[in-house]
Amino acid sequence: GKKESGKKVFILGGELTACETGEFLMERGHEVIIGRRGTKFATKIEPVQRKLIVKRLTDAGARMIGGIEQYSILENELLIKANGENESLKVDNIILATGYNATGSSLDWVSDLVPFTIKIGDAREAGYILTCVRDGWDAVDTIFDFVTGQLTS
C-alpha cells in the first residue's frame, strides 16, 4: 500500500551528493538536516564551489551538523552524538549518502524501518562520478514519485 512521506529529511553524509540532494529537496519544500563525521562539508570539490553550495544550503535554512560520532535510527527519531553532545531529531526520512567506505554501507539493516532504500554512487558500487550523478538523479526522481504518491512501496 501507499505510505505518506513527511517533509523532514536527515541526510547522513556531507560530500557533494549529500549537499546537492539536500539542495534539491529544500527547493521542493523539505526541511533538511545534513550530518557527517567530519566538521566540513563538500570537501572534495573546488573551494569556491564548496563555499557556494554550503552558503546556498545554510541561507535556505538547512541545518548542517558536523562531528557526528554516533547515530541510532529508531522508529520516529534519529539519535545522534555530535561534538560530544547527544541530540534527538524527529525526522520523517533518512537518506544515507555516505559513500563506498561507509561503515555498514549495506542498507539491509534499515529496510524494516523505512518504506524503501536506494543506494547511489559508491554506496552501490565503486564507479565514475557521472554514474554517481545519474544514480543521484534517478534516486531523487524515485523519491519525488514516492512523495507525490506516484510510487507505492
Side-chain angles (χ1 to χ4, degrees):
K2 291 184 181 179
K3 293 184 182 179
E4 292 295 318
S5 179
K7 294 283 190 176
K8 290 182 136 187
V9 179
F10 182 86
I11 301 171
L12 183 62
E15 290 302 334
L16 187 58
T17 301
C19 291
E20 287 184 332
T21 300
E23 197 170 31
F24 178 89
L25 291 170
M26 290 184 74
E27 289 170 357
R28 282 144 185 86
H30 293 268
E31 180 182 331
V32 172
I33 302 169
I34 302 175
R36 72 169 307 163
R37 284 186 306 214
T39 57
K40 293 183 179 180
F41 293 82
T43 61
K44 295 180 181 172
I45 62 173
E46 193 270 325
V48 171
Q49 295 300 322
R50 174 193 167 302
K51 288 180 184 178
L52 288 173
I53 196 166
V54 170
K55 181 175 182 351
R56 284 194 310 266
L57 284 162
T58 56
D59 285 353
R63 181 168 175 210
M64 314 286 276
I65 304 173
I68 292 182
E69 302 159 32
Q70 294 176 304
Y71 65 91
S72 297
I73 300 172
L74 304 177
E75 186 173 341
N76 292 316
E77 69 181 320
L78 177 67
L79 302 176
I80 64 168
K81 181 177 183 181
N83 303 306
E85 300 288 324
N86 294 317
E87 185 174 357
S88 171
L89 302 170
K90 302 290 185 195
V91 296
D92 301 309
N93 304 288
I94 299 172
I95 297 173
L96 302 179
T98 54
Y100 187 73
N101 291 323
T103 302
S105 61
S106 169
L107 299 179
D108 297 338
W109 60 272
V110 77
S111 62
D112 291 337
L113 302 174
V114 296
F116 63 93
T117 60
I118 303 170
K119 290 183 184 180
I120 64 172
D122 287 349
R124 188 171 55 79
E125 71 177 329
Y128 297 101
I129 188 67
L130 290 177
T131 304
C132 178
V133 171
R134 180 63 194 199
D135 285 351
W137 177 261
D138 291 343
V140 168
D141 193 41
T142 300
I143 292 166
F144 179 79
D145 287 348
F146 181 78
V147 169
T148 59
Q150 297 174 46
L151 175 75
T152 59
S153 58

